[in-house]
Amino acid sequence: DTAVSQTPKYLVTQMGNDKSIKCEQNLGHDTMYWYKQDSKKFLKIMFSYNNKELIINETVPNRFSPKSPDKAHLNLHINSLELGDSAVYFCASSRRGGNEQFFGPGTRLTVL
Amino acid sequence: DAKTTQPPSMDCAEGRAANLPCNHSTISGNEYVYWYRQIHSQGPQYIIHGLKNNETNEMASLIITEDRKSSTLILPHATLRDTAVYYCIEVSNFGNEKLTFGTGTRLTIIP
């Protein structure tokens, strides 16, 4: 059973389009995160949610809007995609009060 | 920005112990040292963490110096599947903190 899953695994789209990436965890964790890994392999936090409430927002453009319908899901919607949004996006989760994060397999987004 | 420094790359022979150093000279009293690794094309994976005592689990051992300014991750019997980028990260003890990844150490296990 996959602990943290993401869909799709690959996403290729044109500039200006709107797309969503979905994340689900079956670990019963309260906190979920989105990280971005760019072409130079730097991994950076974007958002975190604790039980559906936004906790961390790391100066990410307003075009990025996370949505957490319940504590097991944290989806990432991106409006007006730009070339610089091309990256691998990782979802992660952790239990309440913990720092051991479980990462998903990543979604490779390519904006043409 | 990451506050830890690690060598950019290391090689280790298969079956030998891999010792990965990390400097965290500005670590504060409430910060733990966490180690994660990222195997090619996969998400990062938690390995181990510690505050000031040495720690061991089924994956690795963590040796932290008495002054807490540096630590070493030890993979006791490295296998080819241990080839990955290893990250040493300072994390406060508040819980559910963001992970600030640096550039890590690219460990290559040689057959």
Side-chain angles (χ1 to χ4, degrees):
Chain A
D1 288 341
T2 304
V4 183
S5 59
Q6 297 179 226
T7 53
K9 187 168 176 62
Y10 299 97
L11 184 54
V12 181
T13 188
Q14 301 285 333
M15 266 197 314
N17 284 349
D18 303 337
K19 291 293 179 184
S20 292
I21 306 171
K22 295 185 177 181
C23 177
E24 176 181 3
Q25 54 93 6
N26 63 6
L27 298 167
H29 289 166
D30 290 301
T31 306
M32 297 185 71
Y33 312 79
W34 276 108
Y35 288 82
K36 177 182 179 181
Q37 187 165 38
D38 61 24
S39 57
K40 296 184 179 179
K41 303 296 185 183
F42 291 119
L43 258 167
K44 290 187 178 179
I45 183 74
M46 298 175 68
F47 302 100
S48 80
Y49 269 71
N50 187 10
N51 201 14
K52 303 193 296 176
E53 181 181 347
L54 180 66
I55 301 299
I56 295 174
N57 183 342
E58 287 285 309
T59 60
V60 176
N62 291 337
R63 298 182 296 104
F64 290 79
S65 53
K67 286 183 171 53
S68 182
D70 55 62
K71 74 174 191 177
H73 296 82
L74 182 61
N75 304 323
L76 184 64
H77 188 76
I78 315 171
N79 290 326
S80 304
L81 279 156
E82 301 178 356
L83 293 177
D85 297 333
S86 294
V88 181
Y89 292 83
F90 289 100
C91 176
S93 72
S94 64
R95 62 174 176 77
R96 184 191 301 274
N99 287 314
E100 179 185 345
Q101 295 183 18
F102 292 79
F103 284 78
T107 295
R108 181 174 295 276
L109 170 65
T110 302
V111 182
L112 304 175
Chain B
D1 291 351
K3 297 186 289 181
T4 61
T5 55
Q6 300 176 251
S9 63
M10 293 180 63
D11 292 340
C12 178
E14 187 179 16
R16 305 296 293 267
N19 296 300
L20 293 93
C22 178
N23 286 327
H24 31 82
S25 58
T26 60
I27 194 168
S28 58
N30 68 344
E31 288 182 316
Y32 285 75
V33 179
Y34 274 71
W35 283 82
Y36 280 76
R37 72 180 182 184
Q38 187 174 22
I39 296 170
H40 181 62
S41 296
Q42 296 183 21
Q45 177 190 23
Y46 165 82
I47 301 172
I48 199 168
H49 73 278
L51 183 63
K52 55 182 179 180
N53 296 324
N54 297 337
E55 302 288 344
T56 296
N57 63 19
E58 65 278 5
M59 289 183 70
S61 294
L62 175 60
I63 308 297
I64 302 174
T65 58
E66 194 168 341
D67 62 9
R68 302 214 316 128
K69 292 185 177 182
S70 65
S71 60
T72 301
L73 179 74
I74 301 172
L75 307 178
H77 305 287
T79 71
L80 297 179
R81 286 177 292 184
D82 292 322
T83 292
V85 179
Y86 287 76
Y87 297 97
C88 165
I89 305 170
E90 295 175 10
V91 186
S92 75
N93 64 354
F94 296 123
N96 303 124
E97 295 290 305
K98 65 180 181 182
L99 298 176
T100 302
F101 290 85
T103 53
T105 295
R106 180 173 297 279
L107 176 67
T108 303
I109 306 302
I110 300 172

